[in-house]
Amino acid sequence: MLGKRPRIEHTLIEVSGIEAKKLSKAKNLLPSVKEFIAKTGLHVLTQKTHDFSPAGVTMVFILSESHLAVHTWPEYGYFHLDLVTCSQIADKNQLQAIVGEIFQIPIEHITVRKVTYGN
C-alpha cells in the first residue's frame, strides 16, 4: 500500500508552426523560454543548453519547483516543453495563451497536456 504522496504536476506543451530559424539555435530560442519561465512564475536554479548540428536545440532547466526540458525539431517547425513541478502552475488555457503570446501564434498550434499525481 502506498503512503501519502507529494503533489506532482507533469505538463507537456507541444507547439507547431514556428519558423525554423527560431528553433535552430539556443541563442534564438532562449529569450522566449526565459519569458515563459517568468510568466509562469517558475524559478531557475541552473540551466544547460545544447545546439545540435546542423540544427536543433535541447535545453534543461533545474527549477526550484522541479525541472523543465525543451526540445526542438526546426525541420518540422515543432518543439515541446516537458515541465514537472511540485506546485500548481497555470491551467491549460492560461498556458496556451502564454505560449501563443510569446511565440505570436494561434492557440490551435499549441497542445497542452497535464497529469497531476499525489495530493
Side-chain angles (χ1 to χ4, degrees):
M1 182 165 123
L2 291 175
K4 190 172 180 177
R5 294 177 6 178
R7 177 188 177 87
I8 300 170
E9 193 169 277
H10 189 172
T11 305
L12 177 66
I13 303 173
E14 298 177 275
V15 184
S16 61
I18 305 294
E19 84 174 280
K21 181 180 179 181
K22 180 93 169 176
L23 303 177
S24 63
K25 299 291 179 200
K27 69 179 182 178
N28 299 339
L29 184 60
L30 190 56
S32 297
V33 174
K34 285 189 172 184
E35 184 177 353
F36 172 81
I37 289 167
K39 288 187 174 194
T40 52
L42 300 169
H43 304 92
V44 176
L45 300 175
T46 190
Q47 70 183 52
K48 179 73 175 166
T49 64
H50 179 79
D51 287 328
F52 291 94
S53 181
V57 176
T58 291
M59 300 177 174
V60 179
F61 299 84
I62 305 302
L63 308 170
S64 61
E65 298 82 7
S66 193
H67 63 275
L68 169 67
V70 181
H71 306 282
T72 73
W73 289 264
E75 65 274 25
Y76 299 108
Y78 172 89
F79 76 97
H80 79 252
L81 292 91
D82 187 10
L83 174 62
V84 176
T85 61
C86 57
S87 59
Q88 185 174 2
I89 61 165
D91 68 26
K92 290 180 183 182
N93 293 335
Q94 291 168 320
L95 290 169
Q96 278 184 313
I98 290 167
V99 172
E101 177 187 332
I102 292 169
F103 291 94
Q104 300 179 351
I105 58 170
I107 61 170
E108 294 80 26
H109 291 265
I110 306 161
T111 303
V112 178
R113 294 183 184 96
K114 279 184 163 241
V115 178
T116 302
Y117 308 92
N119 302 318

